[in-house]
Amino acid sequence: MRAGHVDFVDTTYGGPAPLYTPEQRRRRDRTHWTLVQGILAPVQFLIFLVSLALVLRYLTTGEGAVAATVSVVVKTGALYLIMITGSIWEKVVFGKWLFVPAFFWEDMFSMVVLALHTAYLVALIGGLGTERGRMLLALAAYATYAINAAQFLLKLRAARLQGQPARRMAVAG
């Protein structure tokens, strides 16, 4: 184990530690925040796709600056909402607001996503840079968001795969 790095190894079986302990899985399944996250994630992704199209339209044609700007602000608002509710979800499930071992790297990268989206808002409100420059900043924010979304999808898949053996054993038993 390196300094500042957490290795997730289940010493009982020598493989990766499960994403959730049985108690954490129970809390995850019982809290309404899981449903909130399950609704907000695809809604935010849909907002992202629409906004991405509007930003790319502006960058390629020079048209639709207002629509693109509004869409980036809406996307940023959705990001803040999912980050706030996600930290509540982590508190309920894991007992800590953010940076729990199971989601440490996803949360770390989420901070980069948040920083870029926030930088866009600061530039917009402060009238900093050109419209095109701000849209390029939004595009950078969207690239990091896409990577972060992929991180969470892979984690969700891992959680489902880890839950399958327990379900099979319960059915077999």
Side-chain angles (χ1 to χ4, degrees):
M1 177 151 75
R2 296 178 307 220
H5 176 75
V6 179
D7 290 317
F8 302 103
V9 176
D10 181 347
T11 55
T12 307
Y13 302 105
L19 194 57
Y20 303 99
T21 66
E23 178 60 25
Q24 290 166 343
R25 186 176 294 277
R26 184 188 65 73
R27 287 193 300 261
R28 180 205 66 190
D29 293 345
R30 287 189 177 173
T31 181
H32 70 279
W33 293 109
T34 300
L35 177 61
V36 169
Q37 291 299 108
I39 291 168
L40 287 178
V43 167
Q44 180 185 205
F45 191 73
L46 181 60
I47 293 168
F48 158 73
L49 291 175
V50 170
S51 184
L52 178 62
L54 292 170
V55 168
L56 290 173
R57 176 178 172 241
Y58 170 77
L59 288 171
T60 57
T61 69
E63 297 177 14
V66 172
T69 298
V70 169
S71 74
V72 175
V73 171
V74 169
K75 165 63 177 75
T76 303
L79 175 66
Y80 279 119
L81 181 62
I82 203 165
M83 286 298 298
I84 291 167
T85 59
S87 66
I88 295 168
W89 177 85
E90 282 189 40
K91 177 69 172 166
V92 170
V93 174
F94 296 100
K96 189 174 174 187
W97 291 103
L98 280 173
F99 306 113
V100 298
F103 290 95
F104 181 82
W105 292 111
E106 292 80 5
D107 287 350
M108 287 294 291
F109 205 76
S110 291
M111 295 302 116
V112 174
V113 175
L114 253 168
L116 287 170
H117 280 76
T118 302
Y120 174 86
L121 290 180
V122 168
L124 178 66
I125 293 166
L128 305 173
T130 63
E131 188 72 53
R132 181 172 178 74
R134 288 191 296 269
M135 288 299 159
L136 289 171
L137 178 56
L139 206 54
Y142 285 7
T144 60
Y145 164 76
I147 293 167
N148 198 223
Q151 284 181 302
F152 278 104
L153 288 173
L154 290 171
K155 191 65 65 133
L156 178 62
R157 182 178 184 276
R160 285 185 179 163
L161 290 175
Q162 286 177 352
Q164 287 177 353
R167 282 192 287 275
R168 281 192 212 125
M169 288 174 52
V171 171

